Amino acid sequence: MPSPAKLTSEDIRRIYRSLRLIRRAEEEIARVYPSDRIKSPVHLSIGQEAVAVGVCDALTGDDVVSGTYRGHATYLAKGGDLNAMMAELFGKVTGCARGKGGSMHLVEMSKNVLGASAVVGTTIPLAVGYALALRREGRGRVAAAFFGDGATEEGVFYESLNFASLHKLPVVFVCENNFYAIHTPLTKRWASEALCGRVANFGIPTHRITDSDVFAIRRIVADAVAEMRQGAGPIFLECHTYRWREHVGPMEDYEAGYRDRNDMETWRATDQLERVGALLDATTRGKINIEIEKEIAAAIEFADQSPFPPPEELHTHVFAGQS
Amino acid sequence: MPSPAKLTSEDIRRIYRSLRLIRRAEEEIARVYPSDRIKSPVHLSIGQEAVAVGVCDALTGDDVVSGTYRGHATYLAKGGDLNAMMAELFGKVTGCARGKGGSMHLVEMSKNVLGASAVVGTTIPLAVGYALALRREGRGRVAAAFFGDGATEEGVFYESLNFASLHKLPVVFVCENNFYAIHTPLTKRWASEALCGRVANFGIPTHRITDSDVFAIRRIVADAVAEMRQGAGPIFLECHTYRWREHVGPMEDYEAGYRDRNDMETWRATDQLERVGALLDATTRGKINIEIEKEIAAAIEFADQSPFPPPEELHTHVFAGQS
Amino acid sequence: MSSPARAEAPAVSRESGRLLRYVDALREAVAQEMEADERVFVLGLDVDDHKGIQGSTLGLQARFGTERIFNTPLSEDAMTGVAIGAAIAGLRPIHVHIRMDFLMLCMNQLVNMAAKMHYMYGGTVTVPLVVRSMIGKSWGQGAQHSQGLYSMFMHVPGLKVVAPSNAHDAKGCLIAAIRDDNPVIFVEHRLLYGTEAFVDEAPFTVEFGKARIAVPGNDITLVGVSNMVVECLRAQELLSEVGISAEVLDPISLVPLDFDTILASARRTGCVLVVDNAWTTCGASAEIIARLAEATSGGDAKPIVMRRMGFAPTTCPTTPALEQTFYPNPATIASAVHSLVRPKAKAWSPAPERAVLAYQRQFRGPF
Amino acid sequence: MSSPARAEAPAVSRESGRLLRYVDALREAVAQEMEADERVFVLGLDVDDHKGIQGSTLGLQARFGTERIFNTPLSEDAMTGVAIGAAIAGLRPIHVHIRMDFLMLCMNQLVNMAAKMHYMYGGTVTVPLVVRSMIGKSWGQGAQHSQGLYSMFMHVPGLKVVAPSNAHDAKGCLIAAIRDDNPVIFVEHRLLYGTEAFVDEAPFTVEFGKARIAVPGNDITLVGVSNMVVECLRAQELLSEVGISAEVLDPISLVPLDFDTILASARRTGCVLVVDNAWTTCGASAEIIARLAEATSGGDAKPIVMRRMGFAPTTCPTTPALEQTFYPNPATIASAVHSLVRPKAKAWSPAPERAVLAYQRQFRGPF
Ligand SMILES: Cc1ncc(C[n+]2csc(CCOP(=O)(O)OP(=O)(O)O)c2C)c(N)n1
Ligand SMILES: Cc1ncc(C[n+]2csc(CCOP(=O)(O)OP(=O)(O)O)c2C)c(N)n1
Ligand SMILES: [Mg+2]
Ligand SMILES: [Mg+2]
């Protein structure tokens, strides 16, 4: 992995590619959604891609991530297979969970993407437990746990912080703070905005990134991970970001009145996808874009063509080692 | 209630009385315990009385407390009936819970002592909910929630802090930090000692009292409660203290090796019972002591003489309004 | 979505009142009780947003203010404790969860505290708490948004459990739950929200522990739970076309359970099928069958045929290809009844398209 | 405490090995598996203190170090998640809880995650997790330290549930649980800890899903769960004195359940009493009776008499005056059997003092 301080043009290409792939894949999911071929609720990350990409680009393939039901970005940024994801959304047996999990339960163990959960906060301690195993393994691997601002209200979040810090486990805690849990703003949920302060008092170094700067996120994580590989304990990132679409489903929802389209416009003005894209020359960018369109089209085609699981599959995988 | 700043001799008498009653009642419980007449595990507060007494003396009868399975001190400090408590320990129908709860589940709603729980941390949000009702009621009453250092590791603690602070509820959170959860020291459980720091970052004023000074505790609570009665939100006290006996049961356990008798001796040197007693003249003190011995003897006699609940009682109180 | 949904709604005893959707009946019940009793209040995630728990809490905040209906942080465990604390202080909280699965986060408060406090404190404390929770189905709800976990609550003495299957009972049971001095786990099925029934406008209660004979019959007793009442009713129609007369029972409340009515029907028809919206192992269906077995074995009465249906013994899959066989439906129910009532006849099953219920067809994702 | 306790221990198939207490069998199983497989580790509150979970984890830290057996903060929810996370990473955690009641704090992780992950992730993830938990009884354990809540776990597909009743099975089941690739809820009864049985020193497994006929008999099938096996065995002895021959079955594992053995016995004796250490409503006893009812009703076979016993349908009271009637015991079991087997005879009950078990008499509080 290149030095975090100086980015090569290859780094920029890779980061752009990842941002663009997520953005376009989700836009296509939104486009296809009304056709009812997607058999799953979808929680889109459009507008939030920079957090997943910034963090995952600082990790190696051997490192581990765990995400949430809003997990397309995490899955793709960590190298999850697009075909398998699309097929999963379509409920097909070629999906990453054989159609049994859907969009909220993406998983790809071969890429070290742990399975996501639809119950908020639930995967945070799992990433900590995985990190416990990584520490025991002694190969310097780390785990990154993604979760929303809402998840920090669940008690398990604090329990997990305490344990990870107590045992100095190699965990990157990443809070994607998009200011809303469904439609409820932080002001109705948090007694104080001092999230980093609360976390720091568990003895965990914290970073508050308020502009979604993908390079800054990447650098912070890369520096911290380098130390973790030598035995340092967890860090915590509060990354401000913004969800451009509705909480669940393919549409925008600014007319609902719980938030203001202007807020989104402010975020869009500093959209990291555009920012990073602008660093590339037009040819390179165009080439990447075309490749991505092909990949997405191929993934949708793959999903469409794949079969549903056969009826017997209902009864398989209840227990491991069963059939 | 007298001004918190200047204590009258009546205040000192009352505080001494409360400290002494708890100490002696528990010593008698320990003495009686091997006779098997007490049908309940007992978690004694001997050595820790100052916290309950300091807090409760700053409250009025209309204020509410919730305690834990280590709850004799809370119950008595808040004015709970000694006979009913002793009978409860003896499993008698005259007990405060008709013998159905035992030592771990003391309750006396007429004195605003909420029922205790044997599951650590469980009553913290209950006190918060009670405080929500008190705020609605608008009479300026407050609730105090007692819990141990171990309880602060349960997620529900943080969830409760956040909600209480968000709604500015009149709650006095009182952590009785005796440095151990059963036999496990803080170092094996807390990533950092910055408990007050964590709490403060929820927007809650905190106080760390490291010497168990009963007057200091009383003053802090009295000042805060005065403000709460006018609408101020919660406060948090971390009160250092020391459990002189074993975690559960009547004995000492310094030979077990998990802690040092010297630590106890250090605490005993500043025993608040002795300190406050020394402020009284010998006659007054002697008179109080004699009264207390009589009360305790009478309570044991009451418990001994009381009947067990009749067999039909097994089936009553499963549902309210049922029989 | 009125008429087809209505057609499926169980006929309730009296057809007075207006046609009302289940979701609106829930909201009306809460509004009327909040109006009548200022101790009643509502808390829960997203109770005050523009979706208002699929509409069931919509408009209540505008009417009753933020003190009496408010959103909570994502802290199910503490918020349940807060609700219990408010309840023992004399208020009457209604704690709303958009999915029953999330109750797994508050089991400690519900099982170790709410259920036990009245008993454990010798009757000196009461916990008038209502816990509303919704069961999801289809459209990719999947493993963690589809569970009907009420048997866990049935297991624990001190909790009441109700699962109304129609708008009339939804209103009457919710009012009864709010007025009850005990913790009540109130089970709602998402797909029932759009179904309509005749519901009186004035407040009324549906008494717990009284089953309803939704349709009388002679050949078999079908006991449906929650939305499975609706599925049983369709099965009953299909069965009547082949000359099988099924009696459909709706227990309405599971704790207390009106076992007498079930037993009497079972003795009359000689055959019982319990159809549950949950797993069968240690489920409500196990309990009903076990009680029947205890009550009818060992005497001289003629033996009764007993069976149960419920979720497949698997996790709920997301893909509809598998999900459709995860649940009982009118076709599988009717076919099972046929083989019980006519054990020697050739197996029969209604045409699948005739067994699809409007309330299922109309339901559109994602949530 | 050896001989009287031994006398009560169920005879296990082979009497090889040494006499070992249940608690020591547990410890030996863990030690041997930790020795054999370095992926195995132990976590939980108080596993490393001088009491060592009543002795069941004593000495393990000295032997295997603090990395492989460690105390945790009081954070049952997160620690369950941590254990699951370590399990999916390839380790084999044993998470210990000194009371089953505390599992209510980790229901979300157990029910919504551990049980479902293998399925929900299409078989790409396995969760080889053992959750040890103890059921308390007597000496004022009371409402929150006495519950046998395993039926909640039986209800949810994806979890195995075992409840060994003797030292031999404790060792064999625990080793089997550790080697199992699925989450296993391992249920221990506090009062069994001092009971002894013959246990082989070499590691061995007791296969899940195979019930044991503890004592053969002809007049009735007694199915005991966990410590109730011991109580049934005493009842069986008392019954034999009045000429009633009871067969005592120990299912050992509840999920998977060896229903075939229960059914075969039931068909032979014509009468079944399931005695559980839990509430009956939606409990393990409901499940067993329901399966029997389904399997035996509707055919031509002779009907079977079915009954169950368990906790009284109340919260567990602290005072022994009430607690003693909260639980089934050899006297109440024997008396119930008598009335089932000889329905026309006068009611009979053994002398209460003859029905008190040594393992109960010996147990001294507080915990
Ligand atoms: C434990 C739990 N409670 C409630 C819900 C319902 N719910 C689904 S998403 C969500 C909001 C979560 O907000 P946040 O963590 O900020 O993530 P975001 O959706 O903004 O990415 C809620 C409350 C849930 N899934 N799980
Ligand atoms: C949720 C829960 N987990 C574990 C236990 C077992 N337990 C009983 S007391 C105790 C220690 C609690 O320590 P602390 O809160 O510091 O209170 P203390 O006993 O020191 O007063 C533990 C772990 C319990 N009762 N409840
Ligand atoms: Mg958010
Ligand atoms: Mg402590």
Side-chain angles (χ1 to χ4, degrees), chain A residues 149 178 180-181:
Chain A
D149 45 293
N178 62 10
Y180 291 89

Side-chain angles (χ1 to χ4, degrees), chain D residues 182-213:
Chain D
N182 298 283
V184 180
I185 308 294
F186 193 91
V187 181
E188 306 162 15
H189 196 286
R190 173 72 184 89
L191 293 200
L192 293 174
Y193 268 40
T195 63
E196 293 184 322
F198 286 97
V199 182
D200 272 345
E201 189 150 358
F204 64 93
T205 59
V206 166
E207 199 187 330
F208 298 165
K210 270 203 152 165
R212 170 176 298 116
I213 301 176

